[in-house]
Amino acid sequence: MEGTTESSVTTPTQEIQLPLLEEAGICLRIRREDLLHPVVSGNKCRKLKYNLEEALRQRHDTLLTFGGAYSNHIPATAFAAAENGLRSIGFIRGEELADSWKDNPTLKYASEMGMQLEFVSRTAYRKKTDKAFLLDLENQYGRFYIVPEGGTNLPGIRGCREILQPGDEAYDVIACAVGTGGTLAGISMSASEKQKVLGFPALKGDFLHKVLEGLTPNDNWTLTCDFHFGGYGKVTGELIGFINDFKAQTGIPLDPVYTGKMMFGLLKMVEEGHFEKGTQILAIHTGGLQGITGMNGILRKKNLPLLTV
């Protein structure tokens, strides 16, 4: 992807055919944003698009960003920076990773793309938006363009507004996973007045309600907070089994951090009768498949079933 890509990039939509949906009279389709780009897939491609354009417009030569050990955002930013001739610096949460990051496929790939990795404590990481902290970074690393954690800022939200395509007005519900909130905010702002935007947080806690109120002026969204499986990056055997079964039945791979939890929750809501017969639902596949390799490493250590690759 480059900073001057076309304004309207479309991705295919695939109908999900499962007995549960047929019995409930629900039409569920999934927007395959995971096919948007071979490396920078899904919402990361959308969020980086206008951030790259802004960085290049301001004549920056360095992108600086933040993320966790298995963040989809970190390798995506590293690749996008390299493709646009920019330097990249990634501040990674967890100073203990400094001695083991080469065993982490996400961080190893980012480094191979030229990203300079800096490992900080969780206490220091929480200062990532403090002005004094950022000024210290500028004094240390020179001038840079900040892409916030998860790519959620005004340019990132602008990119996510382009996920919905002409004709999507036919859907009653738009569903997506929620991390930092930028994807749902963008969808909320481009959805029609009659549509309901349903978010499935991958993080534990209710703080995202307040975050989203500051990201979108619309009130057409709700959060369903019962399917985080223990919190960000947490998985169970039940979730892994669901993701593998879903792929076997539909041919569609899901990631365990975001889309797997979203689809599990969405189908559970169908099963429990939360949607009226005839409801048309569009689920957004936000990518994140790069994290499967790293997650399988964790599952192997815990003697849990592996995700089908």
Side-chain angles (χ1 to χ4, degrees), residues 14-140:
Q14 184 173 342
E15 184 169 359
I16 305 301
Q17 297 181 338
L18 296 172
L20 170 64
L21 296 167
E22 185 176 353
E23 293 171 6
I26 302 297
C27 176
L28 172 61
R29 293 185 176 89
I30 187 166
R31 174 66 42 76
R32 296 295 304 274
E33 290 279 292
D34 58 306
L35 302 177
L36 189 57
H37 190 278
V39 178
V40 192
S41 69
N43 60 347
K44 300 310 173 190
C45 187
R46 301 290 187 182
K47 290 180 175 181
L48 284 169
K49 175 183 174 181
Y50 291 111
N51 273 296
L52 279 168
E53 286 193 3
E54 188 62 20
L56 294 171
R57 186 187 69 80
Q58 296 180 21
R59 299 187 181 279
H60 285 278
D61 61 9
T62 302
L63 300 183
L64 186 145
T65 195
F66 304 86
Y70 295 96
S71 166
N72 299 317
H73 174 68
I74 291 297
T77 301
F79 178 92
E83 191 175 55
N84 285 272
L86 302 174
R87 177 187 176 210
S88 63
I89 303 171
F91 275 76
I92 311 302
R93 181 177 60 247
E95 56 191 343
E96 72 277 3
L97 295 166
D99 297 325
S100 61
W101 67 268
K102 291 183 180 179
D103 297 325
N104 179 308
T106 296
L107 300 179
K108 183 179 178 182
Y109 178 84
S111 177
E112 290 171 349
M113 288 294 102
M115 177 173 278
Q116 177 180 340
L117 301 176
E118 300 289 349
F119 301 94
V120 297
S121 68
R122 284 162 176 76
T123 299
Y125 190 85
R126 284 193 286 270
K127 299 178 181 179
K128 60 185 179 294
T129 59
D130 292 352
K131 291 183 178 180
F133 177 73
L134 295 175
L135 181 59
D136 286 342
L137 292 185
E138 188 168 336
N139 291 332
Q140 184 175 355

